[in-house]
Amino acid sequence: LAEGQVVEGVVRKIMPFGAFVDLGGIDGLVHVTDLTHDRVGHGEKFVAKYIKEGEKVRVQVLKIDWEAKRLSLGLKQTQHDPFAAVVSDIKDGAEVNGRVTKIMEFGAFMELAPGVEGLVHISELAWRRVGKVEEVLKPDEIVKVKVLKVDPESRRISLSVKALLPPPEPVAPPAGSGGGGFRGKG
């Protein structure tokens, strides 16, 4: 075996942190972070969404540590990266449709393409102050958003609903208020 090599193995055991794969007498670990290009979750149910015990898989040898008897394997490294493909198509300032996949206290995650999500921060939902994300967005809703920033390094896409809405009209001061300026002794 050599680092970088792609080999076939059989999934032996699913664990909350990944899966052990038998490479013909030696077991290696596919850590949950090397399982999929999707956003990483935890637990055996998450791991079982992508890999099943007894299944034959192609994995890449990521790191070999013979002294510690550890073999790190990657499944996602053998697959095409949907983020890389989408980043070439989606640029800052683009207007795209997204499906709300997850609502959090701080905003909503939206799927822009299979395996590619962006975040609409709560401050980018509307021109007014939004108390709860659910006031503006619902799960599975399809919404047009503006791409604020694509960061290939951190694999993050910042989105805005607000940027596609007309800004509110400025409120004029009430008539006869004199503008409300400060008047002091001169």
Side-chain angles (χ1 to χ4, degrees), residues 50-86:
Y50 300 96
I51 200 167
K52 309 272 182 264
E53 286 184 16
E55 178 183 6
K56 264 191 178 174
V57 291
R58 286 173 40 91
V59 292
Q60 183 173 2
V61 178
L62 302 179
K63 189 165 175 34
I64 300 173
D65 185 345
W66 294 119
E67 288 176 23
K69 295 183 178 165
R70 289 192 174 180
L71 182 60
S72 298
L73 306 172
L75 187 66
K76 76 178 182 184
Q77 288 80 357
T78 65
Q79 302 165 344
H80 116 133
D81 180 0
F83 190 89
V86 168

Side-chain angles (χ1 to χ4, degrees), residues 15-19 29-43 46-47 50 62 72-77 79 155:
M15 305 294 283
F17 51 82
L29 173 68
V30 176
H31 190 268
V32 71
T33 56
D34 291 310
L35 189 61
T36 175
H37 290 289
D38 292 349
R39 200 157 23 106
V40 174
H42 297 283
F46 176 82
V47 175
Y50 300 96
L62 302 179
S72 298
L73 306 172
L75 187 66
K76 76 178 182 184
Q77 288 80 357
Q79 302 165 344
R155 299 175 61 88

Side-chain angles (χ1 to χ4, degrees), residues 20 28 32 39 41 53 63 80-81 104 120 126 129-130 139 149 151 169 179:
F20 286 101
V32 71
R39 200 157 23 106
E53 286 184 16
K63 189 165 175 34
H80 116 133
D81 180 0
M104 307 294 285
V120 180
R129 187 180 182 288
V130 175
K149 182 162 179 46
D151 185 352
E169 293 293 320

